[in-house]
Every structure is written in C-alpha cells, then in structure tokens.
Amino acid sequence: MTNVAIIYYSSTGTNYKMAQWAAEGAKEAGASDVRVLKLRETAPEGAIDSNPAWRAHVDATKEIPTVTLEDLEWADAIIWSVPTRFGNVPSQFQNFIDTTGGLWFQGKLANKVVSAMASAGNANGGQEVTVHSIYTTMYHWGAIVTAPGFVDQSAYAAGGNPYGTSATVSQEGEIVEQVEEAVKAQARRTTEVAKATASLRA
C-alpha cells in the first residue's frame, strides 16, 4: 500500500493544475490511494475579491478538501506544489507547517518520501529557492527528499530544474514551459521511491 498526498496552495489555479497532473503521475506509478489536498486559505476576503481570477479559483475549488495533520500521518509520500512569494514559500504553507510540531515530536513524519514544485510570474522569480525552502523543513522532519533530477527527459522541456518542477506563469495566467510531463515524471519517481522504502515506515 502506497498512499500519496499531493498538497498545494494556489490563488489563481496554476499549482492546482500541477497538483492534478501529479495525481495522474502517482496513479501511473501504482499508488494505492492518492489525495489532492489544498492548504487553508488565510488571505482576507477583501484581498481575494480584489482579483477576479483569485475569487473564481477559490469558488471553483471549494470542494477540494483542506489538508489536515491526519493526512500527513496517513501519507507515505507527500508532493508539495506552491507559488513563490518574494523567493520564499507562501504564508499559507508556513502556517500549516507550524502546526506539525506534535507529529514531528512523535517521529510520525520521519521517512516520509517528499518532493516539491513551485511557480512564479517569471523565469527567475525564485522557484528554486522556494523548493529549497520546503526541503529545509523536510530535512528537519527526517523525510526522504526525492528531487526529480534529470532522470526523465521531460525535465529539459520544463526548464531544467533538477530540484523540483517549476513553472513560469504569463500575464494571461498560462504556464510558459511544457511542465505537464515533468510533473507526472516527478510524481512517478516520488511514488516509486515511497514503494521502495516502505519498510522504513512499517
């Protein structure tokens, strides 16, 4: 049994789309169960309403479950997908991470297989730093960080980020690179590593 949690934060839909692709990749690799989960929105309603695309996305994904600590305990593998905020993780990610201390203290996050993806509004918008920031937390968990590297050729078409698939989003809200196959490959690799290391979490 290999349970995969794909946890994302998205204001206008990019990382939600990447999370859906990751779910497809995890299933292709034989994950027994896959959950797509969103991080709790903490922005005020006024900020959301000020951007029609943001409001539309929030309304369109209201049925997507919000991640809980129980989801982390359940998962064998966790794939994160978040936008960068000034070269760092969004506050919604950090707010959730700050609630995981109890699981960490009990050793329940050790040996989880994790990977991360990120997006930004330009090619040098901090995607790599954001992925590294996520991995720094994962190291503290004692997780098994699984970067995509250049194991699959799709990484090149996606911009060549070996740390985690990264997307550049145009002013029209479209992903510039060809990232779909890279996202799926990253999810397959993460799932395969989780299956191979199952005995560490038994």
Side-chain angles (χ1 to χ4, degrees):
M1 299 290 288
T2 306
N3 298 326
V4 181
I6 300 165
I7 307 170
Y8 76 94
Y9 174 72
S10 193
S11 54
T12 58
T14 298
N15 288 277
Y16 173 57
K17 184 180 296 183
M18 293 170 71
Q20 291 177 307
W21 290 333
E24 293 179 33
K27 291 173 184 175
E28 289 170 1
S32 52
D33 198 358
V34 179
R35 296 179 184 176
V36 175
L37 306 157
K38 64 186 176 187
L39 290 161
R40 183 174 64 87
E41 181 59 86
T42 58
E45 289 294 314
I48 297 171
D49 289 337
S50 70
N51 182 336
W54 192 354
R55 168 49 65 192
H57 177 68
V58 168
D59 292 343
T61 57
K62 61 184 178 182
E63 302 302 323
I64 300 293
T66 300
V67 66
T68 67
L69 295 178
E70 288 74 20
D71 292 313
L72 292 187
E73 191 169 356
W74 165 86
D76 297 299
I78 301 166
I79 300 172
W80 303 95
S81 188
V82 301
T84 184
R85 294 289 185 262
F86 300 105
N88 212 324
V89 295
S91 61
Q92 291 81 1
F93 171 85
Q94 192 60 52
N95 284 340
F96 178 66
I97 290 298
D98 287 346
T99 71
T100 64
L103 289 180
W104 166 80
F105 184 76
Q106 298 173 65
K108 292 183 177 180
L109 300 175
N111 297 325
K112 302 287 186 182
V113 175
V114 300
S115 201
M117 308 182 291
S119 67
N122 57 70
N124 296 297
Q127 294 97 321
E128 289 186 4
V129 180
T130 299
V131 169
H132 280 297
S133 295
I134 293 173
Y135 289 162
T136 296
T137 298
M138 301 297 99
Y139 296 140
H140 283 259
W141 282 8
I144 301 169
V145 172
T146 304
F150 293 106
V151 175
D152 192 277
Q153 288 296 307
S154 60
Y156 295 96
N161 184 346
Y163 311 109
T165 306
S166 60
T168 307
V169 184
S170 70
Q171 291 294 315
E172 292 73 36
E174 300 298 326
I175 299 175
V176 174
E177 304 91 352
Q178 300 173 41
V179 302
E180 180 176 352
E181 290 307 315
V183 168
K184 291 179 180 178
Q186 183 172 349
R188 288 194 298 268
R189 177 170 165 79
T190 304
T191 303
E192 289 162 359
V193 172
K195 291 165 68 176
T197 58
S199 62
L200 296 176
R201 295 179 298 280

